[in-house]
Amino acid sequence: MKKIKIEKNTVQETLIIPLYGRKMCSEKFPKLYTDIFAKELCDRLDYDFSELEKKNNSFLYEFGSLEAAMRQLDMIWEIKAYLKKRPKATIVNLGCGLDETGKACDNGLCRIVNVDFPDVISARKQLITEQEREKNIACDLKDYSWMDEVDGSNGVIFFAAGVFHYFKMDEVKSLALELSKRYSGGRLVFDSVGKLGLKLMMATALKNMGINNVDGLFYVNNPKKELNWSERIKVTSKGYMLGYYDMKSPGIRFSHRLLAKMADKIIKMAINKMEFE
Ligand SMILES: C[S@@+](CC[C@H](N)C(=O)[O-])C[C@H]1O[C@@H](n2cnc3c(N)ncnc32)[C@H](O)[C@@H]1O
């Protein structure tokens, strides 16, 4: 089968880390989280995974895989809760990469929309067959024309996993305000880190993409205060690693949970939910 190339040192490449993390977590901690699609997708990519594979057994990389998994578990939790109220709602995966969380939440009635840059959507289309009730949109999220293609009439939940770190503060604000104007009754769920977390990312992922300056990039130290952008938006926030699940699962060590606690408390990793009134 033809392999699909993922270019190095591009924004597109950032989709590899969470994808590989989900694969790794499914292998190491299957009771906690299993992504049935991740391994097959990795096998179909023309990408040199050897650097990542070398670090497979390091504690920090193991923790990285837990980060990828917990974020998706949290998103799934929020999406399923919303679908209970609005079963025919549209689930919109913002900056979807090769993530199939929408499918993992499919109740047979909802719609699924995946949005990412054209090169990512093109790779996605070659790797993942679009299902009934599913649509891929190739567009920069900062160009709001993609919203014209999203039907929120039966409810809509947008989620962005690992995406807003590449946005400026004002860009996230303006996107959230636009969504709140267009989709009353909808929700937006996304992860964030505090300033310290952004600096740590700077040393790794962001630097590889040629982003050398974190000034102005999105971070949140106190979600309830700092995301209070409109009277029409109700903001709630939970810890990213331990806010939804206690991570007490076979293979997960006390040291993993301790680091998870520190990630939530010190790096201020959070999952934020905006409810549009
Ligand atoms: C770290 S990856 C996360 C991918 C996916 N959400 C996941 O959890 O596996 C970030 C993704 O956001 C996409 N992205 C970043 N900025 C974007 C923008 N302005 N418009 C559309 N997609 C964007 C990238 O192309 C990439 O696929």
Side-chain angles (χ1 to χ4, degrees), residues 11 14 18 22 71 95-97 99 116-117 120 139-141 161-162 167:
V11 177
T14 63
R22 292 194 292 273
R71 185 169 72 199
C96 57
D99 167 47
D116 209 305
F117 286 125
V120 175
C139 194
D140 185 334
L141 288 167
F167 280 48

Side-chain angles (χ1 to χ4, degrees), residues 215-227:
D215 289 350
L217 285 183
F218 182 63
Y219 71 84
V220 187
N221 285 324
N222 183 336
K224 274 203 112 169
K225 252 192 193 164
E226 293 162 29
L227 302 176

